[in-house]
Amino acid sequence: MVTYIIRRLIWAVVMLTIVSIITFGIFFLVPRLAGATSESLAARYVGRTASAEQVKIAADKLGFNDPLIVQYGRFAKGIVAGADYDYGPGVEHCPAPCFGYSFLTRLPVWPDLMDRLPVTLSLAIGAAVIWVIAGVATGVLSALRRGSLFDRAAMGVALAGVSLPIFFTGIVSLVVFSYGTPFRITAPGGSFTPFDENPAMWAYNLILPWITLAFLYAAGYARLTRAGMLETMNEDYIRTARAKGLSERRVVVKHGLRGALTPILTIFGLDLGLLLGGAVLTESTYSLPGMGKYAIDAITNQDLPKVMGVTLVAAFFVVFANLIVDLLYAVVDPRVRLG
Amino acid sequence: MTAPMDVTGGDTQATPAVVEGAGGQAIQGRSLGQIAWMRLKRDKVALAGGLIVIFLILVAVFAPVIAGAFGQDPTQFNSDLIDSSTMAPKTGTGISADHLFGIEPVNGRDIFSRVVYGARISLLIAFLATLLSVVIGTLLGVTAGYFGGLVDSIISKAMDVFLAFPILVFAIALAGIVPDTAFGLTGDTLRVSLLVFIIGFFNWPYIGRIIRGQTLSLREREFVDAARSLGARGPYIIFRELLPNLVAPILIYSTLLIPTNVLFEAALSFLGVGVRPPTPTWGGMLSDAVRFYTIPHFMFFPGMAIFITVLAFNLFGDGLRDALDPKAR
């Protein structure tokens, strides 16, 4: 088990390194293909009043003229050990983990990201709790009462749920429950109260995004759970469990659901990981100041260091979530760690 | 070459075409394609989905004709119909015979023709991106599954890395930093190719994993051994023996990938990094509608267009899966 964990940890680190190399490479190359020069990149750091000579010096000092591999090395070193940014007028130290300096605000990216993280965490985890409970429960009930009115209604709603984009349901939910006069039950989007400040306000501000986001995912999970349950409930071991005289409840929960849940666990890991890296669409629909909104704003302003930072942190969450899922698998199913 | 019975796609079977049945009647031998078609014909919901899909494709292809029939152009401003103080359409100039779905606030463009033209971008990108993912995913999936060993581990690890990319953030970033002229392309051609590339290129591991798994089980089958013992080499076995047997999963997952890609394109357009205005896109129309939420039909029509398109493909894809793979029911 220990070797398995170590192997998985090493692979996670390798994967993050590869992701960071590819990300860096693409964000290094694409602007250059598009006609940006070292000087035009450096100009964004030194301000508009700088002379051409000053910009040139800054570009040299910031290392924009170095080959890709040297620049990546410096970037990677910054993350591990911190870095000093020297753009002409002054030197600024950026402590580890340093994801670079924003072109626009000239502030280090990392503290910004950490400010945004609680918003995305609250949004993703709150919604995840709702969608897992609602989705799995609906799926199980549908499978057990296959063909019933409940099953058909639930699967109809679920199919609609997976076919609706969140930015459409989001706007509609805002119009109906927030801006609108008929059922004004919650605050308009855009406000976030930290949990430790006021838990009630925290939930009040997030309830609408939670439900909209959870509906979308719950629909998919209900469909998956139903399909999985229909398959496992036909297995021989279910018949054996019934033959042993176990209560139906025990058969369904302990034997049926357990078998059906393993594929759902994998998908849950991926979904949650992707969401933690920035629920871009939800955050921009509800104007929540999370990492996804940060990414969108950074892209609108062509602020590459910020974009790099968000991409890497997001990749970290995906890799991390997958790692947890793999380790959970190894605990549940001994074949995994041997294989 | 003999395809195994429970794998669809191969239409040659070892069983003779006509056998004497118990009652003396002839039992017709049916290929699995025929059986699937029979099942699909009975599935009214899936057929409805399929019909809507065909309808949408026709709408996209004949968009100029349809919009032209009402004398409308999707990029034409109708400023005379806009109230200059609120920027909303003047009272009495909403939904009419000329403007079936009404007009947009600010510039008064005809919503009906924009929704019709929006189908073009949406379906074009979704189809091409799906094609790209399916080609890459199938080739790499079959290669990994068939050759195994080092090839398999490299391809599988590559899939892991691709799946670790925060695809939406990455897609937005990429689509956002490419300027209006790049790679020798400009305008809509550039944006469409870029979106097809981004969406298609990051989705291939999903289909790749499925094809790899199927190949792993197929390559142990007797008909592959038989081909090999007759002297067939890797490429022949992959293209002539394995691929025909993978047609069913490829078809199913392509149909189910299209709606995901429709949503993806709509999301990118909504966020402002899709095809550039004034070319109409459903996502772009929705994002324009947010400021004018008091005029519900402005967001209703593009939103419903996305919903109906995605729903139709999902219905058809679900039906196709049930028909081709009865075990998945």
Side-chain angles (χ1 to χ4, degrees):
Chain A
M1 187 68 190
V2 176
T3 31
Y4 177 77
I5 295 178
I6 293 174
R7 226 171 53 213
R8 287 292 323 175
L9 272 174
I10 293 175
W11 173 233
V13 172
V14 171
M15 211 146 93
L16 275 177
T17 314
I18 300 175
V19 168
S20 74
I21 292 174
I22 296 177
T23 312
F24 194 88
I26 288 177
F27 288 127
F28 174 90
L29 284 175
V30 174
R32 276 171 174 71
L33 285 177
T37 58
S38 308
E39 277 76 25
S40 70
L41 288 175
R44 318 192 75 173
Y45 278 102
V46 290
R48 275 160 218 258
T49 52
S51 68
E53 190 60 28
Q54 282 172 304
V55 172
K56 218 173 156 63
I57 293 169
D60 266 344
K61 283 189 173 165
L62 288 165
F64 285 155
N65 291 319
D66 294 338
L68 172 62
I69 186 81
V70 176
Q71 290 199 39
Y72 175 75
R74 202 177 300 125
F75 175 77
K77 187 172 160 253
I79 294 175
V80 181
D84 287 309
Y85 279 81
D86 178 358
Y87 38 84
V91 181
E92 264 179 76
H93 179 68
C94 168
C98 175
F99 282 77
Y101 265 76
S102 154
F103 283 157
L104 223 71
T105 58
R106 281 203 186 171
L107 290 170
V109 171
W110 179 251
D112 263 8
L113 283 175
M114 288 304 101
D115 279 352
R116 305 301 190 103
L117 191 59
V119 183
T120 304
L121 273 179
S122 309
L123 174 67
I125 292 174
V129 170
I130 303 175
W131 93 58
V132 169
I133 295 175
V136 171
T138 313
V140 170
L141 284 178
S142 267
L144 293 181
R145 298 186 196 152
R146 186 181 179 182
S148 68
L149 188 65
F150 173 83
D151 178 28
R152 276 179 290 160
M155 285 306 115
V157 173
L159 189 65
V162 294
S163 306
L164 281 166
I166 182 126
F167 42 89
F168 183 43
T169 46
I171 304 166
V172 173
S173 80
L174 277 173
V175 170
V176 176
F177 294 112
S178 177
Y179 308 149
T181 29
F183 315 98
R184 186 173 183 136
I185 57 162
T186 177
S191 28
F192 175 78
T193 316
F195 179 76
D196 50 0
E197 213 169 89
N198 185 345
M201 272 309 281
W202 172 77
Y204 176 74
N205 281 328
L206 282 170
I207 187 80
L208 210 54
W210 276 342
I211 292 177
T212 330
L213 187 59
F215 172 62
L216 181 94
Y217 281 97
Y221 280 57
R223 281 157 60 90
L224 277 174
T225 311
R226 181 179 180 273
M229 278 299 278
L230 286 179
E231 210 177 301
T232 46
M233 290 306 278
N234 280 326
E235 297 278 353
D236 289 342
Y237 64 80
I238 295 294
R239 201 178 45 203
T240 313
R242 285 209 180 101
K244 281 198 298 194
L246 293 183
S247 69
E248 188 61 25
R249 186 196 177 86
R250 223 180 141 74
V251 171
V252 169
V253 175
K254 273 260 169 185
H255 297 258
L257 192 56
R258 196 178 171 154
L261 273 187
T262 28
I264 292 175
L265 189 67
T266 319
I267 292 170
F268 180 70
L270 264 176
D271 282 345
L272 190 65
L274 277 176
L275 213 50
L276 285 174
V280 181
L281 291 168
T282 319
E283 283 169 16
S284 49
T285 308
Y286 290 97
S287 319
L288 286 168
M291 299 223 302
K293 188 80 173 53
Y294 184 77
I296 291 291
D297 294 344
I299 290 155
T300 318
N301 295 322
Q302 301 267 313
D303 205 342
L304 286 183
K306 283 187 182 177
V307 179
M308 273 291 295
V310 180
T311 312
L312 283 183
V313 171
F316 167 78
F317 278 116
V318 177
V319 171
F320 184 70
N322 280 331
L323 182 70
I324 300 287
V325 169
D326 280 352
L327 295 184
L328 279 178
Y329 264 142
V331 174
V332 177
D333 184 350
R335 284 173 303 182
V336 172
R337 54 182 174 239
L338 297 174
Chain B
M1 172 197 134
T2 307
M5 280 293 284
D6 58 334
V7 181
T8 40
D11 48 9
T12 47
Q13 285 179 14
T15 39
V18 179
V19 192
E20 278 294 296
Q25 292 159 306
I27 296 173
Q28 201 74 37
R30 292 194 194 94
S31 76
L32 282 139
Q34 283 171 310
I35 295 174
W37 173 235
M38 279 179 53
R39 286 210 198 95
L40 198 59
K41 266 198 297 194
R42 257 181 275 140
D43 192 343
K44 293 281 178 282
V45 181
L47 275 189
L51 284 177
I52 299 173
V53 165
I54 294 171
F55 171 74
L56 288 167
I57 294 172
L58 290 177
V59 166
V61 171
F62 295 107
V65 182
I66 298 169
F70 294 89
Q72 297 301 335
D73 180 276
T75 52
Q76 185 201 318
F77 285 23
N78 293 303
S79 310
D80 52 315
L81 301 176
I82 296 296
D83 184 330
S84 56
S85 58
T86 61
M87 297 315 272
K90 283 179 188 160
T91 31
T93 59
I95 295 173
S96 65
D98 274 347
H99 303 288
L100 277 191
F101 291 174
I103 54 171
E104 288 188 325
V106 184
N107 47 36
R109 288 179 297 200
D110 177 55
I111 294 180
F112 175 74
S113 60
R114 290 181 69 74
V115 168
V116 167
Y117 269 88
R120 291 194 139 184
I121 294 291
S122 182
L123 293 183
L124 182 69
I125 291 179
F127 275 119
L128 290 180
T130 305
L131 188 69
L132 183 63
S133 308
V134 169
V135 170
I136 303 178
T138 306
L139 284 180
L140 289 180
V142 172
T143 311
Y146 179 72
F147 290 105
L150 186 65
V151 177
D152 183 26
S153 14
I154 290 174
I155 295 178
S156 297
K157 296 284 183 203
M159 290 185 196
D160 282 354
V161 171
F162 268 90
L163 290 174
F165 269 100
I167 167 162
L168 190 58
V169 175
F170 209 71
I172 297 162
L174 263 183
I177 58 175
V178 173
D180 291 337
T181 309
F183 316 112
L185 300 169
T186 53
D188 285 356
T189 329
L190 171 69
R191 298 308 292 181
V192 169
S193 341
L194 184 70
L195 293 180
V196 166
F197 175 76
I198 293 173
I199 299 173
F201 194 64
F202 284 95
N203 267 333
W204 71 264
Y206 292 96
I207 198 147
R209 276 191 170 180
I210 292 161
I211 297 300
R212 174 182 169 269
Q214 300 267 341
T215 311
L216 277 179
S217 67
L218 275 179
R219 72 160 184 199
E220 305 298 330
R221 300 292 263 274
E222 292 84 349
F223 69 95
V224 176
D225 281 342
R228 205 176 289 130
S229 65
L230 287 170
R233 299 286 190 88
Y236 180 89
I237 295 179
I238 287 179
F239 286 103
R240 303 302 291 272
E241 303 286 337
L242 294 178
L243 271 186
N245 286 301
L246 291 168
V247 167
I250 292 173
L251 214 57
I252 294 168
Y253 289 100
S254 312
T255 319
L256 292 174
L257 190 58
I258 292 171
T260 317
N261 288 344
V262 169
L263 286 177
F264 205 142
E265 185 276 327
L268 292 179
S269 305
F270 177 78
L271 293 169
V273 292
V275 176
R276 299 256 191 254
T279 305
T281 55
W282 294 337
M285 293 177 75
L286 262 181
S287 108
D288 290 345
V290 176
R291 281 188 304 139
F292 293 90
Y293 63 88
T294 45
I295 313 166
H297 72 260
F298 190 20
M299 69 174 75
F300 177 81
F301 291 112
M304 286 314 278
I306 300 174
F307 174 55
I308 290 170
T309 309
V310 175
L311 185 68
F313 275 105
N314 276 333
L315 287 174
F316 183 65
D318 279 358
L320 200 63
R321 185 188 51 205
D322 291 345
L324 286 171
D325 183 10
K327 278 180 296 183
R329 254 171 196 274

